[in-house]
Amino acid sequence: MTQPASPPRPAASKSQPADSASPLRTLTARVDVRTLSLLGVLAALILIGGITQPDSFLDTDNVQLILTQASVIGVVTVGMTFVIISGGIDLSVGAIVALASVWATTVATQEYGFAGILFTAVIVGMACGLVNGMLIAYGAMVPFIATLAMLAAGRGLALQITDGKTQMVTVDSVLKLGERDSYILGIPPLVLVFAAVTVVGWLLLNRTTFGRRSVAVGGNAEAARLAGIDVRRQRLYLYLLSGLCCGIAAFLLIILSGSGQNTNGNLYELDAIAAAIIGGTLLSGGRGTITGSVLGVLIFMTIQNIFALNNLQSDVQQIAKGAIIVAAVLVQRRTSSHT
């Protein structure tokens, strides 16, 4: 009489370790090593600042100053990050900020008060972004050349509008935003705007089809086209977004300085590109994070503040910034070669 076949024994010894390890794998997968590294660098810089200048660096006023200065270039960097992720570049952001700031502070514009200044700054920024986008997307111009032309034209037009003079803001409602009385729970309004732009940028990149299309275009434009994405229209929208960020940054700079000058936004394009690269955005496109770019901005602003407090020359600061950029690119190349 044959014995009935015993039911197969569940592979508890094999499945249980896998099940117990899966939450760990999930947690590890979610941890962005690069973001943690950037946070570590920022923490190290804060430690260095606290050691070298314990009385002034950790002072509340100094922290507010760092965040306020980071807000203007930070907003520009959010727009730049989208452009670089798509495989493009925008060398005109500094010139657009300058043009928008001087156009928004003319006597004729200031007659319309707070709304007139804000509206003009945003519209001028978006108009410049629209021109860049049309030349690149539909004019088939190389982004480097198109935005370089906008850089030259924007700087020239800003100089023509101001005649080389500083345009002072006389609208009280704009000037008050830069005063301490307007701080909300000790946070300057400029920082709150920067935070809002960062959140919107993060959601746009990570939670919308717009963000997925931007990454797809930067990763492989031809594959994106075959997948049904209108690559030209997407690139137009991206440069329009960059121009919008420049317009917002110009308004923040007007609040910060209380004036409009043709020299505003000097080297912003380099700072924004550097911050994006430090944050992990590939220059070749297809990968990048808003969080990393923002941390890159904070790192550079903290370095700048530490150098200033320790009376170190600006040329040494530029050398240090250049070294950090080179190191970041080398790390990117090494990371890409292993993936």
Side-chain angles (χ1 to χ4, degrees):
M1 186 174 179
T2 59
Q3 295 289 336
S6 60
R9 187 177 297 175
S13 58
K14 293 183 179 180
S15 63
Q16 286 178 356
D19 292 340
S20 61
S22 60
L24 180 60
R25 285 202 204 98
T26 304
L27 179 61
T28 304
R30 290 179 180 177
V31 173
D32 189 340
V33 177
R34 183 179 295 273
T35 300
L36 292 177
S37 301
L38 292 172
L39 288 172
V41 172
L42 185 59
L45 289 173
I46 294 174
L47 181 62
I48 293 172
I51 293 174
T52 56
Q53 295 291 332
D55 296 329
S56 53
F57 180 77
L58 297 177
D59 184 72
T60 303
D61 292 339
N62 188 59
V63 174
Q64 290 174 339
L65 175 63
I66 294 174
L67 293 176
T68 301
Q69 291 176 338
S71 298
V72 180
I73 185 64
V75 171
V76 175
T77 303
V78 170
M80 180 69 79
T81 301
F82 276 92
V83 170
I84 298 178
I85 286 175
S86 71
I89 198 76
D90 192 347
L91 300 179
S92 64
V93 290
I96 295 175
V97 169
L99 179 59
S101 68
V102 299
W103 207 321
T105 54
T106 60
V107 175
T109 304
Q110 292 194 52
E111 290 180 356
Y112 294 94
F114 182 98
I117 294 176
L118 175 59
F119 178 80
T120 302
V122 170
I123 288 298
V124 171
M126 293 183 68
C128 293
L130 179 63
V131 172
N132 281 337
M134 291 295 292
L135 291 175
I136 295 167
Y138 296 97
M141 289 187 67
V142 177
F144 182 91
I145 300 300
T147 57
L148 186 63
M150 178 59 72
L151 184 156
R155 287 289 178 191
L157 186 55
L159 179 60
Q160 187 178 47
I161 292 174
T162 61
D163 195 23
K165 301 175 183 177
T166 300
Q167 299 177 162
M168 302 304 299
V169 177
T170 58
V171 180
D172 291 337
S173 56
V174 174
L175 296 174
K176 286 181 179 178
L177 288 177
E179 299 176 355
R180 186 170 296 276
D181 294 340
S182 64
Y183 288 10
I184 301 174
L185 299 177
I187 303 176
L190 275 69
V191 178
L192 295 176
V193 173
F194 176 35
V197 171
T198 299
V199 171
V200 172
W202 187 91
L203 292 174
L204 196 61
L205 180 61
N206 296 283
R207 294 291 184 268
T208 67
T209 56
F210 179 87
R212 290 190 287 272
R213 288 172 181 171
S214 301
V215 174
V217 169
N220 190 322
E222 180 61 20
R225 185 186 67 81
L226 293 175
I229 298 175
D230 190 331
V231 175
R232 293 190 300 178
R233 185 172 61 185
Q234 185 69 20
R235 285 175 174 161
L236 174 64
Y237 288 162
L238 287 163
Y239 281 94
L240 194 63
L241 176 62
S242 179
L244 171 62
C245 289
C246 289
I248 296 173
F251 182 71
L252 297 182
L253 194 57
I254 291 171
I255 296 173
L256 187 61
S257 63
S259 64
Q261 305 176 51
N262 66 285
T263 56
N264 282 343
N266 187 36
L267 297 181
Y268 272 19
E269 55 276 0
L270 299 183
D271 289 339
I273 293 171
I277 294 173
I278 293 298
T281 302
L282 289 180
L283 277 174
S284 57
R287 193 184 75 188
T289 67
I290 298 298
T291 303
S293 296
V294 170
L295 288 174
V297 171
L298 293 177
I299 287 173
F300 277 132
M301 290 299 105
T302 304
I303 292 175
Q304 179 177 314
N305 185 262
I306 291 174
F307 273 66
L309 291 178
N310 287 279
N311 296 319
L312 296 176
Q313 297 180 357
S314 59
D315 54 351
V316 180
Q317 174 186 328
Q318 296 301 324
I319 293 173
K321 186 182 293 185
I324 293 173
I325 295 171
V326 171
V329 173
L330 290 176
V331 170
Q332 281 189 1
R333 290 174 63 87
R334 184 179 179 86
T335 304
S336 299
S337 63
H338 288 290
T339 55

